[in-house]
Every structure is written in C-alpha cells, then in structure tokens.
Amino acid sequence: MKILICDDDEALVSMVRFKLSRENLGEVVKAMDGREAKMLLRENDFDLIITDIHMPFHSGLEITTFIRQELGKDTPIIVLSAEGLEQTVLEAFEMGANDFITKPFSPAELAVRVRRILKK
Amino acid sequence: MQTQPGYSHNGRQAADRKILSRPLNMDFDLYTEGDQEYKTELCSLMIVSLQDLQQSLSDSIQDHDPGLFLNATHKATVTIDMLADMEFQTVASDLKRDFLSADKDDQLTARARHFQKLCDSIISSLQKEIKKKDLS
C-alpha cells in the first residue's frame, strides 16, 4: 500500500508516518504543500491520501477536487483539519472526501480509520 | 500596537532571557511507543515548531500582522496538543484573542513575553529529553 500524507506541519507528518509504518499499513510518502502534493499525485498512484485543509499553494479541498475531477481517480481521501466546523466537514465530503478527522487526534485513532478505509 | 524592542531577533532574545526547564506533561509513549530513536526525532521537530511559533510572534508584533501568529498556531495545533501543557495552551489562545482586540496592547506585550519564556522553557526540556537518549 502507498499512502500520501499532505501537511505542512513536519511534526504531524512524522507522527503519521511513524504510526502507519509501525502498524504495517503501507509506505508513507509526504508532501509539504499543495503544489508538491499535486506533482506527486500526477506522477504516482496511491492507495490512500491523507490531506490537511490549510496548506501553502493549494488547500486540501482543492487537492480533493483535483483528485476527483482532474485526475478522475476514486482513491480514498481522509481530510484533516484543526477546524471541526460543520460547513468545512460538509464541504470536504461534498468534494469527495471519504473521511474527516479533526486535529488534534491520536495516532491510534488515525490508524483505526486508515485500517477501516483500506479494509486491512 | 507598538513594536517591542528586542523582539525581532528571537535567537538573541532567547540568549538574553534566563531559561528554566519546565516539567513536560507530554505522554511520549502515546506517540513514540517506546522507540527512543523516534522520540529524538519527534522532540527535534517539536523544537522547530516552537521556534517557528516564537518567530511568528515576534514578526506579528513587529509587522503589526496578527495573521502570522494565527497561522503559526494553526499549523502547530498538533505540537501544542502533544505537549499537553495547559498553561502554554491557555497563553497561546489568550494571545490570539489579544491580537484581535485593538485596545489590548499592554496585555499583548506582557503575554507575548510570557509566551516566549514558556517556549524557551519547553524547548530546554525537550533538548534535555534528546540528551537523555544520547547518554543512554
């Protein structure tokens, strides 16, 4: 399994990478901003994408739209956000996200959600 | 909002302040599962995150741009939560409120100093955690 994590917070990316690797859920590739995320998405196939909403260059919602509309892919997407606002959550789902996690979250919670989406 | 002298060069400021370590409430095992190598990596990344917060606070005050600090705290949400330091969380959140209130310059200045000191203390404690691993 190949998982893309898009977030500009190095500590969070490191935490996600450590936990998912520890649980043998797959190889984790990181993108530190929306531009890098788009580049990686154009050039690679991923089994799961985890993206923050607030990122430099392109937001997580733009990335979600890019995956669904421009790339036409149905890769599962988990959206992360420090705002659990209902409007943001609904917008993410409307754009095609499969799950939404409000920051902060525990590594164990993330692993459970990833496992469920990947059906592992 | 007045620019506070000496807050523009954070490294020098930290050197000028007396830095005391602060007990860490963080549950390292929750994030590192006992992996010492990873604990070192995580501590180093959290230090960078805290230094970014300090710099953004200095820049926000100097440039009269609250957005810099607000964005930095947003970005550091996970680090702030991992630290599980109630005082630190409260001061960070009060600072955000002060920035948005035009008539609280004095309060903002005092709180900014306090926040910088808290960051210094936590950084010092995280550095000690890294050294513990190096000594073991």
Side-chain angles (χ1 to χ4, degrees):
Chain A
M1 292 284 176
K2 204 168 171 184
I3 301 168
L4 177 66
I5 168 81
C6 318
D7 200 304
D8 57 345
D9 178 0
E10 286 262 21
L12 178 138
V13 169
S14 159
M15 183 185 91
V16 169
R17 198 176 211 174
F18 176 78
K19 183 63 180 174
L20 299 188
S21 302
R22 193 93 168 174
E23 301 265 333
N24 293 318
L25 286 168
E27 176 200 350
V28 181
V29 177
K30 68 174 180 178
M32 299 307 292
D33 59 52
R35 198 154 57 190
E36 189 181 6
K38 274 192 172 182
M39 189 194 73
L40 287 166
L41 284 161
R42 274 199 191 96
E43 295 172 358
N44 300 273
D45 282 320
F46 294 96
D47 299 291
L48 171 67
I49 293 131
I50 302 171
T51 180
D52 184 28
I53 286 194
H54 292 277
M55 285 189 297
F57 304 116
H58 302 292
S59 74
L61 296 180
E62 287 176 295
I63 294 298
T64 303
T65 307
F66 174 74
I67 294 163
R68 295 288 182 256
Q69 294 183 5
E70 283 193 48
L71 298 180
K73 290 184 177 173
D74 60 359
T75 314
I77 302 169
I78 298 177
V79 172
L80 308 174
S81 178
E83 297 163 13
L85 296 175
E86 189 185 11
Q87 192 184 340
T88 313
V89 178
L90 291 176
E91 205 175 343
F93 282 122
E94 275 168 17
M95 288 179 175
N98 299 75
D99 201 355
F100 188 101
I101 305 180
T102 304
K103 294 183 193 176
F105 55 85
S106 76
E109 180 191 349
L110 177 75
V112 167
R113 287 177 187 248
V114 168
R115 201 179 288 285
R116 193 188 61 189
I117 282 192
L118 295 177
K119 296 184 173 59
K120 283 188 85 176
Chain B
M1 191 188 304
Q2 283 193 328
T3 302
Q4 289 308 300
Y7 266 88
S8 56
H9 301 289
N10 191 58
R12 186 169 175 182
Q13 265 296 311
D16 292 345
R17 290 191 291 266
K18 188 178 179 187
I19 299 172
L20 298 171
S21 292
R22 181 175 175 80
L24 294 173
N25 295 326
M26 180 174 171
D27 180 358
F28 280 105
D29 282 344
L30 181 66
Y31 302 99
T32 67
E33 300 182 13
D35 185 317
Q36 291 300 310
E37 290 288 335
Y38 181 61
K39 184 177 176 182
T40 300
E41 179 186 326
L42 188 61
C43 286
S44 302
L45 291 171
M46 290 173 79
I47 288 171
V48 172
S49 210
L50 290 164
Q51 288 168 336
D52 285 348
L53 276 175
Q54 289 186 297
Q55 189 62 53
S56 73
L57 178 56
S58 302
D59 292 346
S60 276
I61 291 172
Q62 191 170 1
D63 299 346
H64 301 225
D65 182 357
L68 299 171
F69 184 67
L70 298 179
N71 286 339
T73 51
H74 187 90
K75 184 177 163 184
T77 302
V78 169
T79 294
I80 293 171
D81 177 69
M82 281 195 286
L83 287 166
D85 187 320
M86 191 56 76
E87 184 184 6
F88 182 67
Q89 288 178 8
T90 305
V91 176
S93 137
D94 288 346
L95 264 176
K96 286 194 276 185
R97 204 184 51 225
D98 291 345
F99 265 119
L100 299 173
S101 309
D103 59 340
K104 292 192 175 172
D105 279 3
D106 291 344
Q107 198 165 304
L108 173 66
T109 302
R111 219 180 316 259
R113 284 212 177 92
H114 184 42
F115 185 78
Q116 297 283 14
K117 278 186 185 170
L118 282 175
C119 286
D120 287 341
S121 303
I122 295 168
I123 288 170
S124 168
S125 299
L126 288 169
Q127 283 167 337
K128 282 185 181 165
E129 288 294 329
I130 294 172
K131 278 184 192 151
K132 267 192 220 168
K133 192 259 166 190
D134 290 343
L135 293 173
S136 65

